[in-house]
Amino acid sequence: MGLSTSGCRIDWVQEGALALSALRTHDYTTVILDLGLPDMDGLEVLRQANQLKKRPPILVLSARSLTHERILGLNLGADDYLVKPFDFDELLARLHALHRRHLSAPDPIHRLGPLVVDPLRRRVWMGEDEIALSPREFDVLLVLVEKPGVVRSTEWLEQRLYDWNNEINSNAVQVHLHHLRRKLGAGWIQNVRGSGYKLDIPYWNDDAPLSTNF
């Protein structure tokens, strides 16, 4: 509930086998892994996840608090380890830090020319002007600005923006993209025919700085 309220999209499973299945079939930004699972030890999930061709950063969240237990989890491939009980704000900060490290973007604020996106405060500026976005419009913009110039399919965007409990309208993503295009201005969100959408500095904007923090 706390993560959802903070703007995260969550798929929650309660067995290790289901977690591994989800990792094989979905593209996640981060994983929170408990170790006390009913069907297998969480460390075994971690071992098998490390064998996948591609896996997101994994944060172990566990009541196993002894030093040797934390060392074991980290040595087996965990990207971070947080002991229960924990402060929620610390958990959220660690997740953001893992995601930034995964993107090789140490600056928490995304900058693309005159466009500035603050994922923590969920605010957006174009130059000195702040842009008001709906929560879902912000989510669409955030996943696009993480990798500017990279084309994302509609299916990929739906997977990143909606969890398993959401019922997705057939044109929901396109509607949000239409509103974003209108608010950002012409040229920022480009439709690559037959492939998807990408966010980039408009080619006609010769005055926009081309350096970014990615």
mmCIF file of all heavy atoms in Angstrom, residues 19-20 23-24 31 33 42-60 72-80:
data_model
loop_
_atom_site.group_PDB
_atom_site.id
_atom_site.type_symbol
_atom_site.label_atom_id
_atom_site.label_comp_id
_atom_site.label_asym_id
_atom_site.label_seq_id
_atom_site.Cartn_x
_atom_site.Cartn_y
_atom_site.Cartn_z
ATOM 1 N N ALA A 19 7.588 -15.968 -8.001
ATOM 2 C CA ALA A 19 8.494 -14.834 -8.188
ATOM 3 C C ALA A 19 9.434 -15.079 -9.359
ATOM 4 O O ALA A 19 9.651 -14.194 -10.205
ATOM 5 C CB ALA A 19 9.295 -14.589 -6.910
ATOM 6 N N LEU A 20 10.002 -16.282 -9.448
ATOM 7 C CA LEU A 20 10.911 -16.605 -10.547
ATOM 8 C C LEU A 20 10.175 -16.601 -11.883
ATOM 9 O O LEU A 20 10.712 -16.148 -12.898
ATOM 10 C CB LEU A 20 11.562 -17.964 -10.293
ATOM 11 C CG LEU A 20 12.570 -17.996 -9.133
ATOM 12 C CD1 LEU A 20 12.939 -19.425 -8.771
ATOM 13 C CD2 LEU A 20 13.819 -17.197 -9.500
ATOM 14 N N LEU A 23 9.729 -13.023 -12.943
ATOM 15 C CA LEU A 23 10.987 -12.446 -13.408
ATOM 16 C C LEU A 23 11.336 -12.917 -14.820
ATOM 17 O O LEU A 23 11.963 -12.185 -15.594
ATOM 18 C CB LEU A 23 12.124 -12.808 -12.456
ATOM 19 C CG LEU A 23 12.176 -12.037 -11.136
ATOM 20 C CD1 LEU A 23 13.236 -12.626 -10.219
ATOM 21 C CD2 LEU A 23 12.475 -10.570 -11.402
ATOM 22 N N ARG A 24 10.941 -14.141 -15.158
ATOM 23 C CA ARG A 24 11.236 -14.652 -16.498
ATOM 24 C C ARG A 24 10.350 -14.011 -17.569
ATOM 25 O O ARG A 24 10.748 -13.947 -18.739
ATOM 26 C CB ARG A 24 11.055 -16.172 -16.524
ATOM 27 C CG ARG A 24 12.061 -16.940 -15.675
ATOM 28 C CD ARG A 24 11.911 -18.438 -15.880
ATOM 29 N NE ARG A 24 12.816 -19.187 -15.004
ATOM 30 C CZ ARG A 24 12.425 -19.761 -13.873
ATOM 31 N NH1 ARG A 24 11.156 -19.707 -13.488
ATOM 32 N NH2 ARG A 24 13.295 -20.413 -13.126
ATOM 33 N N VAL A 31 13.288 -5.449 -7.398
ATOM 34 C CA VAL A 31 12.610 -6.547 -6.708
ATOM 35 C C VAL A 31 12.856 -6.404 -5.215
ATOM 36 O O VAL A 31 13.989 -6.162 -4.787
ATOM 37 C CB VAL A 31 13.133 -7.913 -7.188
ATOM 38 C CG1 VAL A 31 12.548 -9.040 -6.336
ATOM 39 C CG2 VAL A 31 12.805 -8.135 -8.653
ATOM 40 N N LEU A 33 12.699 -8.771 -2.037
ATOM 41 C CA LEU A 33 12.652 -10.212 -1.802
ATOM 42 C C LEU A 33 12.678 -10.518 -0.316
ATOM 43 O O LEU A 33 13.649 -10.208 0.374
ATOM 44 C CB LEU A 33 13.848 -10.884 -2.500
ATOM 45 C CG LEU A 33 14.020 -12.384 -2.267
ATOM 46 C CD1 LEU A 33 12.838 -13.163 -2.845
ATOM 47 C CD2 LEU A 33 15.342 -12.862 -2.875
ATOM 48 N N GLY A 42 14.221 -17.877 0.428
ATOM 49 C CA GLY A 42 14.438 -16.727 -0.443
ATOM 50 C C GLY A 42 15.832 -16.681 -1.029
ATOM 51 O O GLY A 42 16.040 -16.153 -2.127
ATOM 52 N N LEU A 43 16.817 -17.238 -0.320
ATOM 53 C CA LEU A 43 18.175 -17.272 -0.857
ATOM 54 C C LEU A 43 18.254 -18.150 -2.097
ATOM 55 O O LEU A 43 19.054 -17.895 -3.003
ATOM 56 C CB LEU A 43 19.159 -17.763 0.206
ATOM 57 C CG LEU A 43 19.361 -16.826 1.404
ATOM 58 C CD1 LEU A 43 20.308 -17.457 2.414
ATOM 59 C CD2 LEU A 43 19.894 -15.465 0.957
ATOM 60 N N GLU A 44 17.433 -19.204 -2.157
ATOM 61 C CA GLU A 44 17.395 -20.044 -3.350
ATOM 62 C C GLU A 44 16.769 -19.278 -4.519
ATOM 63 O O GLU A 44 17.203 -19.423 -5.666
ATOM 64 C CB GLU A 44 16.603 -21.331 -3.079
ATOM 65 C CG GLU A 44 16.477 -22.254 -4.266
ATOM 66 C CD GLU A 44 17.831 -22.716 -4.821
ATOM 67 O OE1 GLU A 44 18.806 -22.768 -4.042
ATOM 68 O OE2 GLU A 44 17.891 -23.019 -6.024
ATOM 69 N N VAL A 45 15.754 -18.458 -4.222
ATOM 70 C CA VAL A 45 15.193 -17.591 -5.257
ATOM 71 C C VAL A 45 16.274 -16.662 -5.792
ATOM 72 O O VAL A 45 16.405 -16.448 -7.005
ATOM 73 C CB VAL A 45 14.004 -16.770 -4.699
ATOM 74 C CG1 VAL A 45 13.491 -15.784 -5.746
ATOM 75 C CG2 VAL A 45 12.888 -17.690 -4.250
ATOM 76 N N LEU A 46 17.078 -16.115 -4.887
ATOM 77 C CA LEU A 46 18.158 -15.222 -5.280
ATOM 78 C C LEU A 46 19.169 -15.953 -6.168
ATOM 79 O O LEU A 46 19.605 -15.424 -7.202
ATOM 80 C CB LEU A 46 18.842 -14.672 -4.027
ATOM 81 C CG LEU A 46 19.943 -13.635 -4.225
ATOM 82 C CD1 LEU A 46 19.408 -12.403 -4.945
ATOM 83 C CD2 LEU A 46 20.528 -13.239 -2.874
ATOM 84 N N ARG A 47 19.528 -17.184 -5.789
ATOM 85 C CA ARG A 47 20.488 -17.953 -6.595
ATOM 86 C C ARG A 47 19.952 -18.187 -8.005
ATOM 87 O O ARG A 47 20.670 -18.018 -8.997
ATOM 88 C CB ARG A 47 20.777 -19.306 -5.922
ATOM 89 C CG ARG A 47 21.587 -19.228 -4.640
ATOM 90 C CD ARG A 47 22.005 -20.630 -4.216
ATOM 91 N NE ARG A 47 22.638 -20.635 -2.907
ATOM 92 C CZ ARG A 47 22.003 -20.882 -1.772
ATOM 93 N NH1 ARG A 47 20.706 -21.157 -1.785
ATOM 94 N NH2 ARG A 47 22.646 -20.875 -0.613
ATOM 95 N N GLN A 48 18.683 -18.593 -8.105
ATOM 96 C CA GLN A 48 18.118 -18.873 -9.418
ATOM 97 C C GLN A 48 17.916 -17.599 -10.232
ATOM 98 O O GLN A 48 18.081 -17.597 -11.459
ATOM 99 C CB GLN A 48 16.798 -19.627 -9.272
ATOM 100 C CG GLN A 48 16.958 -21.022 -8.694
ATOM 101 C CD GLN A 48 15.686 -21.838 -8.786
ATOM 102 O OE1 GLN A 48 14.923 -21.726 -9.743
ATOM 103 N NE2 GLN A 48 15.442 -22.679 -7.788
ATOM 104 N N ALA A 49 17.569 -16.507 -9.557
ATOM 105 C CA ALA A 49 17.399 -15.235 -10.262
ATOM 106 C C ALA A 49 18.712 -14.784 -10.884
ATOM 107 O O ALA A 49 18.736 -14.204 -11.974
ATOM 108 C CB ALA A 49 16.864 -14.170 -9.306
ATOM 109 N N ASN A 50 19.823 -15.076 -10.205
ATOM 110 C CA ASN A 50 21.130 -14.688 -10.732
ATOM 111 C C ASN A 50 21.485 -15.434 -12.015
ATOM 112 O O ASN A 50 22.358 -14.999 -12.771
ATOM 113 C CB ASN A 50 22.217 -14.946 -9.689
ATOM 114 C CG ASN A 50 22.134 -13.979 -8.523
ATOM 115 O OD1 ASN A 50 21.639 -12.874 -8.660
ATOM 116 N ND2 ASN A 50 22.606 -14.413 -7.357
ATOM 117 N N GLN A 51 20.824 -16.558 -12.276
ATOM 118 C CA GLN A 51 21.102 -17.338 -13.479
ATOM 119 C C GLN A 51 20.287 -16.868 -14.686
ATOM 120 O O GLN A 51 20.529 -17.321 -15.807
ATOM 121 C CB GLN A 51 20.814 -18.820 -13.206
ATOM 122 C CG GLN A 51 21.692 -19.425 -12.117
ATOM 123 C CD GLN A 51 21.260 -20.820 -11.725
ATOM 124 O OE1 GLN A 51 20.419 -21.431 -12.379
ATOM 125 N NE2 GLN A 51 21.842 -21.336 -10.645
ATOM 126 N N LEU A 52 19.332 -15.971 -14.441
ATOM 127 C CA LEU A 52 18.532 -15.462 -15.546
ATOM 128 C C LEU A 52 19.379 -14.562 -16.433
ATOM 129 O O LEU A 52 20.322 -13.902 -15.964
ATOM 130 C CB LEU A 52 17.327 -14.683 -15.007
ATOM 131 C CG LEU A 52 16.336 -15.484 -14.158
ATOM 132 C CD1 LEU A 52 15.242 -14.565 -13.637
ATOM 133 C CD2 LEU A 52 15.741 -16.622 -14.961
ATOM 134 N N LYS A 53 19.044 -14.528 -17.702
ATOM 135 C CA LYS A 53 19.816 -13.723 -18.648
ATOM 136 C C LYS A 53 19.763 -12.246 -18.277
ATOM 137 O O LYS A 53 20.741 -11.508 -18.436
ATOM 138 C CB LYS A 53 19.267 -13.934 -20.059
ATOM 139 C CG LYS A 53 20.075 -13.238 -21.140
ATOM 140 C CD LYS A 53 19.545 -13.586 -22.515
ATOM 141 C CE LYS A 53 20.372 -12.909 -23.596
ATOM 142 N NZ LYS A 53 19.853 -13.244 -24.964
ATOM 143 N N LYS A 54 18.631 -11.810 -17.762
ATOM 144 C CA LYS A 54 18.469 -10.409 -17.381
ATOM 145 C C LYS A 54 17.618 -10.357 -16.126
ATOM 146 O O LYS A 54 16.524 -10.918 -16.090
ATOM 147 C CB LYS A 54 17.795 -9.628 -18.517
ATOM 148 C CG LYS A 54 17.567 -8.164 -18.216
ATOM 149 C CD LYS A 54 16.852 -7.489 -19.385
ATOM 150 C CE LYS A 54 16.561 -6.030 -19.081
ATOM 151 N NZ LYS A 54 15.822 -5.367 -20.190
ATOM 152 N N ARG A 55 18.119 -9.691 -15.099
ATOM 153 C CA ARG A 55 17.320 -9.528 -13.888
ATOM 154 C C ARG A 55 17.507 -8.118 -13.347
ATOM 155 O O ARG A 55 18.578 -7.513 -13.482
ATOM 156 C CB ARG A 55 17.668 -10.557 -12.826
ATOM 157 C CG ARG A 55 18.973 -10.293 -12.065
ATOM 158 C CD ARG A 55 18.910 -10.914 -10.685
ATOM 159 N NE ARG A 55 20.131 -10.840 -9.916
ATOM 160 C CZ ARG A 55 20.466 -9.802 -9.149
ATOM 161 N NH1 ARG A 55 19.697 -8.723 -9.117
ATOM 162 N NH2 ARG A 55 21.583 -9.828 -8.439
ATOM 163 N N PRO A 56 16.481 -7.556 -12.699
ATOM 164 C CA PRO A 56 16.603 -6.221 -12.113
ATOM 165 C C PRO A 56 17.341 -6.279 -10.787
ATOM 166 O O PRO A 56 17.601 -7.364 -10.254
ATOM 167 C CB PRO A 56 15.138 -5.811 -11.911
ATOM 168 C CG PRO A 56 14.428 -7.109 -11.695
ATOM 169 C CD PRO A 56 15.130 -8.120 -12.546
ATOM 170 N N PRO A 57 17.709 -5.128 -10.225
ATOM 171 C CA PRO A 57 18.312 -5.114 -8.890
ATOM 172 C C PRO A 57 17.368 -5.745 -7.857
ATOM 173 O O PRO A 57 16.151 -5.578 -7.935
ATOM 174 C CB PRO A 57 18.516 -3.621 -8.612
ATOM 175 C CG PRO A 57 18.527 -2.967 -9.949
ATOM 176 C CD PRO A 57 17.609 -3.778 -10.806
ATOM 177 N N ILE A 58 17.945 -6.454 -6.895
ATOM 178 C CA ILE A 58 17.163 -7.145 -5.873
ATOM 179 C C ILE A 58 17.542 -6.618 -4.494
ATOM 180 O O ILE A 58 18.721 -6.621 -4.125
ATOM 181 C CB ILE A 58 17.378 -8.661 -5.928
ATOM 182 C CG1 ILE A 58 16.860 -9.224 -7.261
ATOM 183 C CG2 ILE A 58 16.697 -9.360 -4.750
ATOM 184 C CD1 ILE A 58 17.107 -10.716 -7.437
ATOM 185 N N LEU A 59 16.542 -6.166 -3.756
ATOM 186 C CA LEU A 59 16.719 -5.744 -2.367
ATOM 187 C C LEU A 59 16.115 -6.809 -1.469
ATOM 188 O O LEU A 59 14.917 -7.105 -1.575
ATOM 189 C CB LEU A 59 16.053 -4.394 -2.126
ATOM 190 C CG LEU A 59 16.171 -3.813 -0.701
ATOM 191 C CD1 LEU A 59 16.215 -2.285 -0.750
ATOM 192 C CD2 LEU A 59 14.996 -4.233 0.196
ATOM 193 N N VAL A 60 16.924 -7.404 -0.623
ATOM 194 C CA VAL A 60 16.429 -8.378 0.348
ATOM 195 C C VAL A 60 15.863 -7.616 1.544
ATOM 196 O O VAL A 60 16.525 -6.738 2.106
ATOM 197 C CB VAL A 60 17.548 -9.335 0.795
ATOM 198 C CG1 VAL A 60 17.092 -10.169 1.992
ATOM 199 C CG2 VAL A 60 17.953 -10.243 -0.351
ATOM 200 N N LEU A 72 25.884 -13.120 3.874
ATOM 201 C CA LEU A 72 25.538 -14.222 2.972
ATOM 202 C C LEU A 72 24.613 -13.738 1.860
ATOM 203 O O LEU A 72 24.828 -14.048 0.683
ATOM 204 C CB LEU A 72 24.877 -15.354 3.759
ATOM 205 C CG LEU A 72 24.402 -16.561 2.934
ATOM 206 C CD1 LEU A 72 25.590 -17.216 2.220
ATOM 207 C CD2 LEU A 72 23.684 -17.569 3.826
ATOM 208 N N GLY A 73 23.593 -12.973 2.221
ATOM 209 C CA GLY A 73 22.666 -12.474 1.211
ATOM 210 C C GLY A 73 23.355 -11.593 0.179
ATOM 211 O O GLY A 73 23.120 -11.723 -1.029
ATOM 212 N N LEU A 74 24.221 -10.717 0.635
ATOM 213 C CA LEU A 74 24.936 -9.835 -0.283
ATOM 214 C C LEU A 74 25.917 -10.623 -1.148
ATOM 215 O O LEU A 74 26.053 -10.365 -2.351
ATOM 216 C CB LEU A 74 25.663 -8.743 0.501
ATOM 217 C CG LEU A 74 24.756 -7.720 1.199
ATOM 218 C CD1 LEU A 74 25.558 -6.865 2.172
ATOM 219 C CD2 LEU A 74 24.044 -6.834 0.177
ATOM 220 N N ASN A 75 26.598 -11.601 -0.549
ATOM 221 C CA ASN A 75 27.559 -12.398 -1.314
ATOM 222 C C ASN A 75 26.875 -13.290 -2.345
ATOM 223 O O ASN A 75 27.488 -13.675 -3.352
ATOM 224 C CB ASN A 75 28.407 -13.259 -0.380
ATOM 225 C CG ASN A 75 29.483 -12.447 0.326
ATOM 226 O OD1 ASN A 75 29.817 -11.348 -0.097
ATOM 227 N ND2 ASN A 75 30.021 -12.983 1.407
ATOM 228 N N LEU A 76 25.608 -13.614 -2.107
ATOM 229 C CA LEU A 76 24.875 -14.429 -3.071
ATOM 230 C C LEU A 76 24.264 -13.600 -4.196
ATOM 231 O O LEU A 76 23.607 -14.156 -5.080
ATOM 232 C CB LEU A 76 23.769 -15.223 -2.352
ATOM 233 C CG LEU A 76 24.249 -16.387 -1.492
ATOM 234 C CD1 LEU A 76 23.084 -17.038 -0.757
ATOM 235 C CD2 LEU A 76 24.971 -17.426 -2.355
ATOM 236 N N GLY A 77 24.476 -12.290 -4.146
ATOM 237 C CA GLY A 77 24.049 -11.481 -5.278
ATOM 238 C C GLY A 77 23.034 -10.408 -4.987
ATOM 239 O O GLY A 77 22.650 -9.661 -5.905
ATOM 240 N N ALA A 78 22.553 -10.292 -3.752
ATOM 241 C CA ALA A 78 21.610 -9.217 -3.441
ATOM 242 C C ALA A 78 22.291 -7.863 -3.658
ATOM 243 O O ALA A 78 23.454 -7.675 -3.314
ATOM 244 C CB ALA A 78 21.118 -9.333 -2.001
ATOM 245 N N ASP A 79 21.557 -6.924 -4.228
ATOM 246 C CA ASP A 79 22.103 -5.590 -4.474
ATOM 247 C C ASP A 79 21.992 -4.696 -3.245
ATOM 248 O O ASP A 79 22.698 -3.686 -3.144
ATOM 249 C CB ASP A 79 21.374 -4.943 -5.651
ATOM 250 C CG ASP A 79 21.547 -5.753 -6.922
ATOM 251 O OD1 ASP A 79 22.571 -5.575 -7.592
ATOM 252 O OD2 ASP A 79 20.654 -6.573 -7.234
ATOM 253 N N ASP A 80 21.109 -5.051 -2.316
ATOM 254 C CA ASP A 80 20.967 -4.319 -1.061
ATOM 255 C C ASP A 80 20.279 -5.243 -0.066
ATOM 256 O O ASP A 80 19.661 -6.257 -0.447
ATOM 257 C CB ASP A 80 20.145 -3.030 -1.276
ATOM 258 C CG ASP A 80 20.370 -2.016 -0.153
ATOM 259 O OD1 ASP A 80 21.092 -2.330 0.804
ATOM 260 O OD2 ASP A 80 19.822 -0.898 -0.252
#
